[in-house]
Amino acid sequence: MQRAERLLDMIQSLRRRRRPVTAETLAAELDVSVRTVYRDIAALVRQGVPVRGEAGIGYVLDAGFDLPPLMLSPDEIEAVLVGMRWLGERADPVLARAAEDVVSKVAAVLPPHLRPILLDGALFAPLYGRDAPTDLVDIAAVRAAIRQGRKLEVRYRDESGQDTQRMIWPIGMTFYDRVRIVIAWCELRQDFRHFRTDRITDLVAREERYPARRADLFRRWQKEEEARCRADSERRARQAEGQPAEPAPAQRLTSAPSTSATAPEATAASA
């Protein structure tokens, strides 16, 4: 690897991290010695790159520093290509069209010798086929509500075909091969719930913001999911060893995050 390429890789490694990273970690990632990392950090500082830190503690790249858009490696270009092709098959029409726009914008700023990697790339995402579930509502409105921290009033049809009216606080969306899942706090169930987009039969985007920060809700959901996964793994391990399964815990009572769902605080949610 040439030194100029290694310096760019080091900047990228620092940029993707929010916390200080040690020289040992950088050396292992770049496959160089720790002494080489020290020399490269010093070279970046001399060239005006805002790297802070010191040996033995770690290094961090100051906020606001960025590389020009042309600084994409072939691997990064292929990552864009695969990601956008994957979204083109699995996202809602608005997001799929945005993925096509991303490819065209990236292609416009790439140097000529790299452009074929993006436009004529041989990396593909499999097609859905005709049996793909069909959404009945505008999923772009769901994504907008997630960004803006606003409530959604939805009619949801469960696996058994039963309809319920829900007021939800959408905090995220997961894209699987054939379905999309909205992660939300449900006022009806007073807990986090997952909603398949193809089972939402009606949707009204409310102007009302939900009374909690989306980032805080998402972290809380992550912790609960991690705890559930650990419990499931332990249960399966006991069953594999022939041990009797522990009785299911009593249903927990979950309070609405930060405030009551029926009497929200006046503070607006922040994405």
Side-chain angles (χ1 to χ4, degrees):
M1 180 187 298
Q2 296 181 354
R3 187 168 190 246
E5 183 180 353
R6 189 175 69 244
L7 292 177
L8 290 175
D9 287 347
M10 182 173 292
I11 292 174
Q12 181 62 27
S13 181
L14 291 169
R15 186 169 58 173
R16 78 168 67 101
R17 292 178 167 93
R18 296 183 178 181
R19 299 181 181 276
V21 56
T22 63
E24 289 77 8
T25 300
L26 290 172
E29 185 172 313
L30 300 173
D31 195 22
V32 297
S33 68
V34 173
R35 179 172 296 183
T36 298
V37 170
Y38 291 151
R39 287 200 301 263
D40 288 349
I41 291 290
L44 291 174
V45 172
R46 286 196 302 270
Q47 294 172 18
V49 179
V51 178
R52 293 186 293 106
E54 58 183 271
I57 297 177
Y59 299 95
V60 64
L61 186 66
D62 281 346
F65 178 80
D66 204 358
L67 292 172
L70 298 182
M71 296 297 185
L72 289 177
S73 70
D75 287 339
E76 291 168 341
I77 295 171
E78 289 185 334
V80 172
L81 175 64
V82 173
M84 295 307 99
R85 284 179 171 174
W86 193 94
L87 274 178
E89 286 299 321
R90 291 159 177 80
D92 59 87
V94 175
L95 194 58
R97 187 164 56 251
E100 295 178 0
D101 291 341
V102 168
V103 172
S104 64
K105 288 180 179 180
V106 172
V109 298
L110 285 176
H113 71 282
L114 292 177
R115 202 168 296 151
I117 299 177
L118 184 69
L119 299 181
D120 302 324
L123 304 181
F124 301 93
L127 302 179
Y128 258 147
R130 295 184 177 180
D131 58 340
T134 302
D135 293 323
L136 303 177
V137 298
D138 182 11
I139 303 305
V142 178
R143 293 189 288 103
I146 293 172
R147 293 194 301 268
Q148 299 165 5
R150 298 185 186 277
K151 294 185 178 184
L152 289 175
E153 185 176 356
V154 302
R155 179 169 291 278
Y156 189 72
R157 181 168 299 157
D158 63 19
E159 192 172 5
S160 64
Q162 181 179 1
D163 285 351
T164 55
Q165 196 75 21
R166 311 285 188 102
M167 185 70 72
I168 63 174
W169 308 356
I171 62 173
M173 185 179 293
T174 301
F175 291 75
Y176 291 96
D177 276 344
R178 294 184 175 274
V179 297
R180 293 181 289 273
I181 302 293
V182 179
I183 306 165
W185 173 267
C186 177
E187 292 186 2
L188 176 66
R189 304 303 186 198
Q190 287 290 286
D191 202 352
F192 292 108
R193 286 292 187 268
H194 301 157
F195 300 91
R196 282 180 48 162
T197 59
D198 59 307
R199 292 179 181 169
I200 299 176
T201 59
D202 192 29
L203 180 151
V204 177
R206 302 285 292 270
E207 290 297 320
E208 180 184 3
R209 293 179 179 269
Y210 47 75
R213 295 184 68 251
R214 189 196 64 82
D216 293 339
L217 290 173
F218 193 81
R219 283 192 292 269
R220 176 172 168 179
W221 169 80
Q222 282 183 311
K223 290 180 180 178
E224 293 190 8
E225 283 294 295
E226 290 170 358
R228 181 186 61 80
C229 289
R230 284 196 300 269
D232 288 345
S233 297
E234 293 171 358
R235 175 180 53 80
R236 287 193 294 267
R238 287 193 298 269
Q239 291 176 344
E241 295 172 357
Q243 299 179 11
E246 292 184 356
Q251 183 177 5
R252 60 187 176 87
L253 299 177
T254 307
S255 59
S258 302
T259 180
S260 168
T262 56
E265 295 176 348
T267 56
S270 169

